[in-house]
Amino acid sequence: QVQLVESGGGLVQAGGSLTLSCAVSGTVFRVGTMGWHRQAPGKQRELVATMTSGGNTNYADSAKGRFTISRDNAKKMVFLQMNSLKPEDTAVYYCNAALLPTMGTRFSDYWGQGTQVTVSS
């Protein structure tokens, strides 16, 4: 069974840094765009950053200059380096990936279980 497994969340003081990791667990034929979204209490889930398999990136305005997305295609992993964290970055962060399970199928969206990031002031 294919899953996205996240790690790296936690509690950090404002101004601190955290790195989130997400790995594709299970066998897939191809991995497409991977990314991170977040959902704060009482708010809708929002895009943080994405990265295509070719290395093109897209960031939310709130993440530009502070967060860096990267990936290891060989290991089927995506990372989010978060610097200069602010209390408003507090949210559950979800890994997302477009996966092609087997040749001849279509890409499908997969989501991780989420990892809590809490930034204290």
Side-chain angles (χ1 to χ4, degrees):
Q1 185 177 355
V2 176
Q3 298 180 43
L4 298 181
V5 181
E6 300 146 337
S7 60
L11 173 64
V12 65
Q13 287 189 330
S17 298
L18 278 177
T19 299
L20 305 182
S21 301
C22 173
V24 177
S25 173
T27 302
V28 294
F29 181 69
R30 188 166 294 168
V31 181
T33 298
M34 303 184 80
W36 294 92
H37 291 67
R38 69 185 183 186
Q39 187 166 19
K43 295 187 177 181
Q44 289 189 330
R45 190 174 297 188
E46 62 178 7
L47 172 86
V48 177
T50 62
M51 191 172 197
T52 67
S53 57
N56 292 320
T57 58
N58 179 46
Y59 291 93
D61 287 342
S62 58
K64 289 178 181 177
R66 299 188 300 127
F67 295 1
T68 302
I69 189 170
S70 61
R71 60 189 283 172
D72 184 329
N73 289 332
K75 295 182 178 179
K76 295 179 293 184
M77 295 186 69
V78 64
F79 308 93
L80 186 68
Q81 172 68 43
M82 303 184 292
N83 298 324
S84 303
L85 283 162
K86 305 174 182 179
E88 50 264 44
D89 293 318
T90 295
V92 178
Y93 283 70
Y94 295 91
C95 174
N96 166 249
L99 304 178
L100 192 65
T102 58
M103 188 171 57
T105 59
R106 295 180 179 181
F107 277 102
S108 297
D109 263 350
Y110 286 75
W111 292 86
Q113 78 283 1
T115 184
Q116 178 70 45
V117 171
T118 302
V119 184
S120 63
S121 58

